[in-house]
Amino acid sequence: LDLDTLALGPDDTVLVYSDSRSLGDAELDALFAFAEAGGHLVLRLPPWQGKTPDTALADWLPIAPLLQVPGCMALDLPGQKAREVFCRDARFRLQQGADVSHVWRNAAGQAVYARFVHGEGSVDLVSSLDLLQNNRLSEPGHAHFARQLLAPHWGEGTLHLVYAADM
């Protein structure tokens, strides 16, 4: 990932579709500096492989370092049949006092999505971005969720989709 060639601005959004573990410390530092300056950053958790620590993201965001067991979350939208999503994806726990503007979690406090306030900008953490795949955006609720992910700078700046950060 060559962030120098992106010329990121404070009204831009960077969505890193690939596994967050593919980002090095220098890349994470640059991405979080971008968010702190007003940008919007969207990251996903690593795929579920057991209770493995995700130290890179836990060092950057106020989340517990151990991922939580996958389990379905209900997606209920007015006028649509309820459906379950994130069934095979890890969950995470927020640290006490985490500064979030949005969070989607179950009654046990296990989250699949959170928007963290980060300086002048924001960082979204999502269990998975599979709902954004072309063949899934037409499923009920998926486009709505995609719109929520992109909301902070909707209609402003540039959306940078980083499909594979390790190239």
Side-chain angles (χ1 to χ4, degrees):
L1 178 61
D2 187 2
L3 293 170
D4 294 332
T5 62
L6 293 181
L8 299 174
D11 291 332
D12 289 351
T13 297
V14 174
L15 188 149
V16 181
Y17 189 85
S18 62
D19 186 337
S20 57
R21 293 175 297 186
S22 65
L23 297 167
D25 289 341
E27 293 164 326
L28 284 167
D29 191 33
L31 288 169
F32 276 86
F34 153 75
E36 190 167 346
H40 179 61
L41 174 61
V42 180
L43 298 170
R44 60 168 275 208
L45 289 178
W48 176 250
Q49 297 174 340
K51 286 191 177 184
T52 55
D54 181 23
T55 54
L57 290 180
D59 288 345
W60 289 95
L61 294 169
I63 62 171
L66 293 179
L67 300 179
Q68 303 294 300
V69 175
C72 297
M73 294 289 283
L75 177 59
D76 296 318
L77 295 173
Q80 295 184 7
K81 181 181 175 185
R83 55 185 300 121
E84 293 184 331
V85 292
F86 298 109
C87 294
R88 295 184 183 101
D89 305 307
R91 298 173 184 203
F92 58 95
R93 288 192 183 277
L94 300 175
Q95 290 180 356
Q96 189 170 357
D99 191 3
V100 295
S101 59
H102 297 79
V103 64
W104 186 6
R105 60 183 158 200
N106 62 17
Q110 297 171 328
V112 293
Y113 166 74
R115 176 166 294 148
F116 298 89
V117 176
H118 192 75
E120 297 296 316
S122 57
V123 178
D124 285 8
L125 180 60
V126 187
S127 289
S128 171
L129 291 169
D130 290 348
L131 286 97
L132 301 183
Q133 292 175 351
N134 287 340
N135 63 339
R136 298 195 60 200
L137 278 173
S138 62
E139 294 179 33
H142 292 197
H144 182 81
F145 184 68
R147 173 64 176 87
Q148 181 174 337
L149 283 175
L150 303 177
H153 293 310
W154 188 260
E156 304 170 3
T158 301
L159 168 63
H160 302 273
L161 172 60
V162 180
Y163 188 74
D166 57 351
M167 293 183 75

